[in-house]
Amino acid sequence: MSSSSTPSLLSEYPSRRVRRNPSMLALNQHSRNALSRMLKHRTYKEELQAFYERQSEGMPSIPNYLMNTVYAELVKQQWLIYTKICNPNKLVAKSTHAESDSSSHQSSSSALPPPPRPPLPPTRLHRTYTTLDLSQQVASPDDDDEDMDHVNMIIESLISDGVSASSSATMNANLKKTPSAQEFQDLQNLINGDSFKLSLVMQDLRLPSAWDLKAKGENIDISRDYMQLTYRGNGKDESDVASVRANYAMRKQCGIYYFEIKVISKGVDGHIGIGFCRRINSLDRFPGWEEHSWGYHGENGHVFSGPGTEKAYGPKYGTGDIIGCGIDFRDMSAFYTKNGIYLGSAFKKVKDTELFPFVGFKTPGEKIEANFGAKPFKFDIYQLLANEKRGLLGRIALKPALTSSRFKIVNNSLANNLADNVVMEYLKHNGYHKAATSLQASIIQKGNLPSVEASNLELDLEATHRQEIRKAIFDGDIDHVFKLCDELYPNVLENNPMILFKLKCRKFIEMIRQAHEQADHAHRDKVPIDAMDYDAALSEEEAQSLQVSENMPSISIKRATSLASLDSEHKRKKQKIAREDLSTFVDGLAYGIELKNAYKEEAKSNRAMAIELESASSILAYTDLTHPKVAPLFETRRIETVASELNSAILVSLGKYPNSSLERIYRQTSATIEELVLSGNAKAALLQPERDCFEFLNG
């Protein structure tokens, strides 16, 4: 087709040259179709189907630097919704199938090894939307939290290998499917009445993970992993320009999005442009040569943001250089880096629209490779994010908490007094009676008055009882906990069976630990114990009932070098201590068997209970309680969880809130930030209360 035969089509692009290639017309028509779809509003049913299709492609890839952000939490929650309506085994099989497809596509005969199990995921953000009903009992952990281990495992496996992570989304596109009638109904039931989940499934949070095979100009070859681009054109004039767009858009929910391009070869003249554009931009124009397109060019170091906007910016780049491009969605600005060095702001007031990574070529031999976050960057993006977060938290801290007075000193005093009362109420809530009394004295000494509720310490005598219960849990004296609950708060454990079960698991763990401590004590006294006597006391039936290996090691001790050399008195002493240690362990083992038999039927239908039971039983397989597999059983965080759940249950039984004001403030703040990020508020995307409050400020 000649250029003269297409004036009506080209008239819509007045600043363009005449095209001589018919394939370019098809691409432009494709762009128009894409624009038409963008402008057409989808129905509720179409939105749910689109969500299902997106998730059916596989777990969305998350760049490493975004793993500990609210964005990552939103992606996990989307996947969790999808897993709720699909068989988890089916999901794993599909993921494995996709990897094998990718492997075969790259002509690799070796199968990918299964990914290692990742560490325990961070606590999810919880949301509170309604006023708490004081008569409502404390709920057991949410099923969503139970499934987050599986979700995090899949995410970790996707980012563990750069090739598979970057190409999985493109390869899995062929697996896209529509929901069955039952799946569609289950999805509707899951989000019905939950505005947050409804908003969540409406959002496409996929990030760029590869180059789009369907969005490239002519004379460009894409590698099998969809990460490398090679220009094969003649490069004689502007008509030979060809560009490629990434498969998905950069999302405002990231706050700051960053990617890097490695120039493998600059070709003849190094006419390479790196930037970003909208979906409808042409694929035969350099980044920055037309409206809604931005680019940094290698041949002269200039930047472009539309026709007639060329300006000097940074150094030239060519073979071996790594160029990074970042979009700060908080103020819609963009920056570049070269070989890990920040080059400064390149664009400001970028059009707030859907933007895609975009690369253009012109001369033969030009070749690049993209890194969308599956591999470490040359530039320290982590430090940039940390600096931005530190500045943001500083501005938040300097902002007046109260504006009831025109005098700043008055507002600060009122805010400090309010904070003191919130902290004192937290101490009271958790039973720290002495600490609350001390803080109250400090408040009065500063000339402030504690709130009526917080100052009513003498009437809150049961706080001492709750503190005693908490202390007993941390001391491992679970029998004393049961006694105090029966005497002071009858029916609390009966009305909260999951808490009762967790306490029984704690008792079993503590009994086994005591057996280890007694053995260690005997070892320090240099009294040998015959491990054969110890092992012989365990019947095969008892070991099998707890699924303990027949090779289970005994408590760590030293064997006597020669039993024959011991005199009769020493032997009697040894046997006495061995029997005492064995008695403690056998008691613990018997209690564990009783615990498992009592809950084995319920554990079949209660996944949380099954996990807790299996976790507690694992202590029998290790002689070293500091081993990474069992050490978490003794972490303060784990014990604190049980203590806090029991404390909340007691408070509910007394007609009080199960959570303190400080905890409610924290949860509401977390929920608010999550809502803001989901809606596209990039300024909130850098915040995450859990890390900011407990890790970031201490790091």
Side-chain angles (χ1 to χ4, degrees), residues 399-408 410-412 414-415:
K399 188 174 182 179
L402 296 173
T403 56
S404 59
S405 171
R406 62 189 181 93
F407 298 106
K408 183 177 180 180
V410 175
N411 290 329
N412 290 339
L414 292 173

Side-chain angles (χ1 to χ4, degrees), residues 139-156:
S140 59
D142 195 19
D143 288 342
D144 288 357
D145 293 331
E146 299 165 16
D147 293 337
M148 288 306 287
D149 281 332
H150 178 68
V151 174
N152 280 275
M153 181 178 68
I154 298 177
I155 292 177
E156 292 289 341

Side-chain angles (χ1 to χ4, degrees), residues 276-505:
F276 47 95
C277 69
R278 296 178 66 185
R279 185 189 297 273
I280 62 174
N281 281 93
S282 303
L283 300 174
D284 59 350
R285 303 285 281 173
F286 261 120
W289 274 13
E290 59 183 2
E291 292 293 337
H292 309 305
S293 175
W294 298 260
Y296 171 32
H297 292 205
E299 76 277 8
N300 55 18
H302 291 186
V303 292
F304 300 76
S305 57
T309 61
E310 179 179 1
K311 66 176 182 179
Y313 169 68
K316 301 177 183 179
Y317 58 84
T319 302
D321 290 327
I322 297 177
I323 304 301
C325 178
I327 312 297
D328 190 339
F329 287 99
R330 297 174 302 166
D331 58 2
M332 295 309 299
S333 63
F335 65 90
Y336 287 92
T337 67
K338 179 182 177 182
N339 298 327
I341 300 175
Y342 181 76
L343 298 180
S345 178
F347 307 110
K348 296 182 178 180
K349 298 181 180 180
V350 174
K351 179 72 173 179
D352 187 1
T353 184
E354 209 175 42
L355 300 173
F356 297 76
F358 193 43
V359 176
F361 307 91
K362 182 181 177 182
T363 58
E366 295 168 345
K367 184 176 182 179
I368 63 93
E369 181 178 15
N371 178 9
F372 294 114
K375 298 182 293 185
F377 290 124
K378 183 71 172 179
F379 175 68
D380 192 351
I381 185 64
Y382 296 94
Q383 187 60 51
L384 182 141
L385 292 176
N387 293 340
E388 292 296 327
K389 176 178 284 190
R390 186 175 292 108
L392 177 59
L393 293 176
R395 291 191 295 273
I396 293 174
L398 293 175
K399 188 174 182 179
L402 296 173
T403 56
S404 59
S405 171
R406 62 189 181 93
F407 298 106
K408 183 177 180 180
I409 189 171
V410 175
N411 290 329
N412 290 339
S413 177
L414 292 173
N416 290 335
N417 188 38
L418 176 61
D420 287 339
N421 281 294
V422 169
V423 172
M424 188 162 67
E425 190 263 347
Y426 171 81
L427 295 174
K428 279 186 53 186
H429 172 87
N430 289 286
Y432 300 114
H433 188 79
K434 292 181 179 180
T437 303
S438 177
L439 179 58
Q440 175 178 308
S442 176
I443 294 174
I444 296 175
Q445 187 178 6
K446 290 190 297 185
N448 297 324
L449 293 176
S451 63
V452 176
E453 296 80 1
S455 63
N456 194 20
L457 293 172
E458 63 278 3
L459 298 180
D460 197 9
L461 299 178
E462 54 82 28
T464 304
H465 298 149
R466 290 188 287 112
Q467 177 59 18
E468 186 178 358
I469 292 174
R470 176 183 291 270
K471 184 177 183 301
I473 294 176
F474 276 91
D475 291 343
D477 192 354
I478 307 302
D479 285 334
H480 189 50
V481 174
F482 292 150
K483 179 181 177 182
L484 290 174
C485 287
D486 290 340
E487 293 177 355
L488 302 172
Y489 310 107
N491 301 325
V492 166
L493 293 179
E494 181 181 346
N495 294 333
N496 295 273
M498 193 63 187
I499 296 178
L500 175 61
F501 166 73
K502 289 184 177 181
L503 287 172
K504 289 182 177 180
C505 288

Side-chain angles (χ1 to χ4, degrees), residues 150-204:
H150 178 68
V151 174
N152 280 275
M153 181 178 68
I154 298 177
I155 292 177
E156 292 289 341
S157 67
L158 284 175
I159 68 171
S160 62
D161 180 75
V163 175
S164 62
S166 61
S167 61
S168 60
T170 303
M171 297 305 301
N172 289 350
N174 296 328
L175 300 174
K176 186 182 297 184
K177 58 181 180 179
T178 57
S180 65
Q182 183 60 50
E183 288 174 329
F184 186 83
Q185 184 61 47
D186 291 342
L187 179 58
Q188 280 187 307
N189 295 337
L190 192 61
I191 65 175
N192 186 34
D194 191 327
S195 60
F196 177 80
K197 286 184 178 178
L198 178 60
S199 300
L200 190 62
V201 301
M202 297 288 187
Q203 291 283 352
D204 183 356

